[in-house]
Amino acid sequence: MRTREKKLAAVAGCLFAAVLFASSFRAEVTVTKTMKLNAVSASGLSAGIQTVLNVAEETDVHEEITEVLNEGVVQNNLPGYDWNEMAMSNVEDSVNMRLEPSEEAELVGKFPKGAFGVIVDGTEGWTKLSSGSVEGWVSDDFLLFGVDAEARAQELGSYQATVNTEALRIRKEPSEDAEIYDLAEMGSVYRVAEQQEGWVGIQLDSSVGYVSSEYVRVEFHLETAMSMEEIRAEEERRALEEAQKAKEAEEKKRKEAEEKAANSSDVAVLAALVQLEAGGESYEGKLAVASVVMNRVRSGSYPNSVSGVVYQSGQFPPASGARMAALVSGGAGADCVKAAKQAIGGVSNVGNLTHFRAAGLGGSLVIGNHAFY
């Protein structure tokens, strides 16, 4: 046997012995780590050895062996992540995490797209992961391991910069002389757009700002699982946020209507009627009368303007008198004007009610001396 072939045979023998050793050791380690994490199986390695043995004499032995051994080996190019011990989600949205390795088991959380977890245990078709605050079982159908997990992490993850000083200057260019965009607060987190010597480019909406790398901690970030409690809390937070936005939008709309009304005769006419119908009432009583008028304006069963409703024949008798004209031109009391503006802006303390009469005659709602119905 020629020298090179002898070397190849010797190396193959060593490799084969290593495979036998790994096989004998298999019972001592978890199923997950032997079956899922090692991207190079015993059969694959044996096939690789055979490839080495068949290499032509002129082929470099070291390069061939290195190529065989490196095939499918996790490189762990992301600091802090060991893909021999971790898995990535392989879903478009999220996959359930369960208390036991069964489709019928209780849900303990969700494992979203782009999330990673540390492998805790494994059994046929299932892997137990620790991710975020959750520890639970996930079906292997929705997971990636080893080199596949590493590739997905590099695809979906991102670097984030956390500010570790007070009032960090965010500049428009990576230079101490560049114009300042804004100041970043301690603990603020930004997505990293680029890194240069001494500078980190951070994403600011549609633009990129630059901060000194000395004052930020840059780490690779991947999503983690959320527990069912965290999911419910997040849903409640979003619901409250949406409700607040809706409330703010309604308030803005109301104020705009008030401001618009303040520049028209509607406020003067409605305030004058309120003065005549409820001048001696509390503010709630004044607002209630103004609300009735505006409910009629919006109902579709009455004229669609303040003046049309107020002056409609037979509806509000005081509106036809001389005092009404005087109040319109001279101005009603401050509370009456305020009630008119609020009602025009959409505020109502009588719901959709469109009538009122003396309290003694009864109605759905009584405020002061009036019953509303």
Side-chain angles (χ1 to χ4, degrees), residues 8-26 42 45-46 49-50 53 69:
L8 282 172
V11 171
C14 291
L15 292 175
F16 186 66
V19 171
L20 291 178
F21 176 77
S23 298
S24 65
F25 187 66
R26 183 167 300 167
L45 190 56
S46 296
I49 294 170
Q50 186 59 50
L53 293 174
L69 292 179

Side-chain angles (χ1 to χ4, degrees), residues 297-310:
V297 172
R298 299 182 180 107
S299 72
S301 300
Y302 297 87
N304 61 0
S305 68
V306 172
S307 294
V309 169
V310 169

Side-chain angles (χ1 to χ4, degrees), residues 41-336:
S41 66
S43 60
L45 190 56
S46 296
I49 294 170
Q50 186 59 50
T51 299
V52 173
L53 293 174
N54 293 334
V55 173
E57 180 178 356
E58 64 273 11
T59 304
D60 186 274
V61 178
H62 180 270
E63 290 182 0
E64 288 296 330
I65 294 175
T66 301
E67 182 179 345
V68 170
L69 292 179
N70 285 341
E71 182 179 355
V73 173
V74 180
Q75 299 301 313
N76 286 326
N77 293 319
L78 302 174
Y81 295 87
D82 181 358
W83 297 108
N84 293 299
E85 305 288 341
M86 298 175 178
M88 281 286 294
S89 63
N90 186 28
V91 291
E92 287 302 316
D93 185 12
S94 66
V95 61
N96 294 327
M97 299 184 74
R98 298 186 180 275
L99 188 61
E100 300 292 340
S102 167
E103 291 291 348
E104 286 73 41
E106 178 186 347
L107 285 178
V108 294
K110 295 281 187 178
F111 197 50
K113 177 180 181 179
F116 84 101
V118 177
I119 296 172
V120 177
D121 198 358
T123 188
E124 184 66 30
W126 292 83
T127 298
K128 190 175 188 179
L129 298 174
S130 176
S131 179
S133 64
V134 191
E135 189 171 288
W137 292 89
V138 180
S139 169
D140 288 350
D141 292 339
F142 305 104
L143 295 175
L144 294 174
F145 303 93
V147 291
D148 294 330
E150 183 176 42
R152 183 59 56 88
Q154 290 174 321
E155 174 190 350
L156 299 180
S158 64
Y159 282 93
Q160 292 187 349
T162 303
V163 178
N164 56 24
T165 188
E166 296 289 350
L168 178 62
R169 295 179 180 88
I170 304 175
R171 299 184 181 276
K172 292 188 176 181
E173 300 292 339
S175 168
E176 291 289 351
D177 301 321
E179 184 179 347
I180 296 174
Y181 261 130
D182 202 352
L183 297 178
E185 298 180 356
M186 169 83 81
S188 298
V189 180
Y190 298 91
R191 185 185 179 93
V192 174
E194 63 174 301
Q195 297 188 62
Q196 301 183 21
E197 185 176 353
W199 294 90
V200 176
I202 58 176
Q203 197 66 49
L204 302 172
D205 296 327
S206 59
S207 58
V208 175
Y210 294 86
V211 295
S212 171
S213 59
E214 183 180 353
Y215 302 109
V216 293
R217 183 179 71 257
V218 176
E219 295 175 313
F220 191 78
H221 173 77
L222 290 168
E223 296 295 324
T224 55
M226 292 183 69
S227 68
M228 299 310 295
E229 293 77 10
E230 289 171 331
I231 290 171
R232 284 190 285 270
E234 178 65 14
E235 289 173 347
E236 290 176 4
R237 184 194 68 77
R238 289 181 180 176
L240 289 173
E241 189 176 87
E242 290 300 319
Q244 182 62 29
K245 287 181 180 179
K247 182 179 179 180
E248 290 173 356
E250 185 63 29
E251 181 68 12
K252 180 180 179 182
K253 182 179 178 181
R254 183 186 67 77
K255 287 183 178 180
E256 289 174 349
E258 285 185 15
E259 291 171 1
K260 182 178 179 180
N263 298 321
S264 70
S265 62
D266 287 350
V267 171
V269 171
L270 184 53
L273 180 68
V274 170
Q275 181 81 52
L276 294 174
E277 294 282 12
E281 298 291 316
S282 65
Y283 179 74
E284 290 299 313
K286 293 180 175 67
L287 178 59
V289 169
S291 297
V292 163
V293 173
M294 293 311 302
N295 285 343
R296 290 190 178 193
V297 172
R298 299 182 180 107
S299 72
S301 300
Y302 297 87
N304 61 0
S305 68
V306 172
S307 294
V309 169
V310 169
Y311 292 117
Q312 187 176 17
S313 177
Q315 297 302 307
F316 301 103
S320 60
R323 194 171 173 220
M324 177 72 178
L327 285 171
V328 170
S329 61
D335 275 358
C336 296

